[in-house]
Amino acid sequence: MDTSLEALLDRVQERGSFTSRQQAAGAVENVLLVLGSHLVGDDRTDLARLLPDGCGALVAEAEPAGEPLSAEEFVDTVAARTGDDTTGARRVVTSVLGTLADVADDALLRRILTQLPPGHSGLFGRVEPV
């Protein structure tokens, strides 16, 4: 799978039905900053290494969050950053996280989801593990 910045933005743009690559880039930036603030250790650096130049730094250099966010709070945090309503923010989040789930292998995705409170799997386009 092509992991260039252009390919990532094209996939996010298509998945989120954004009208421009610039909208997709804004979605990627906002979601990666929120996600990066909730990941630590190897999972954070492994995800950052998978991403194109510039995107990995958004994950790796995000300020650590004070407390974990539920899936709903994750969407609300992105909404506050983007100015979108909840529906628009959910589209932003699922388009980016769904694309990340396609890029990451299953083991990394499981490790990432383990760091997040239950309920985030759906944001990545996955079913909660049993």
Side-chain angles (χ1 to χ4, degrees):
M1 179 177 286
D2 184 358
T3 57
S4 69
L5 179 59
E6 293 78 17
L8 175 72
L9 294 177
D10 287 346
R11 287 192 298 267
V12 170
Q13 183 178 352
E14 181 179 331
R15 182 176 251 137
S17 299
F18 297 114
T19 57
S20 71
R21 191 180 270 176
Q22 184 176 357
Q23 285 180 312
V28 168
E29 179 178 358
N30 284 298
V31 172
L32 291 182
L33 285 170
V34 176
L35 179 62
S37 69
H38 290 85
L39 299 178
V40 297
D42 290 342
D43 302 336
R44 184 179 189 171
T45 55
D46 289 349
L47 177 60
R49 271 192 228 114
L50 281 178
L51 298 172
D53 291 340
C55 293
L58 294 171
V59 172
E61 298 170 8
E63 288 291 321
E67 60 185 65
L69 297 175
S70 69
E72 182 178 323
E73 291 167 330
F74 191 102
V75 171
D76 291 344
T77 300
V78 171
R81 293 183 61 82
T82 62
D84 286 327
D85 61 15
T86 302
T87 302
R90 180 169 287 280
R91 177 174 62 112
V92 166
V93 169
T94 57
S95 66
V96 175
L97 295 183
T99 300
L100 290 183
D102 292 344
V103 173
D105 62 36
D106 289 339
L108 177 57
L109 184 57
R110 273 193 304 276
R111 292 185 355 239
I112 289 169
L113 287 170
T114 299
Q115 288 198 37
L116 301 170
H120 282 76
S121 292
L123 297 178
F124 285 86
R126 301 301 192 258
V127 178
E128 286 290 331
V130 188

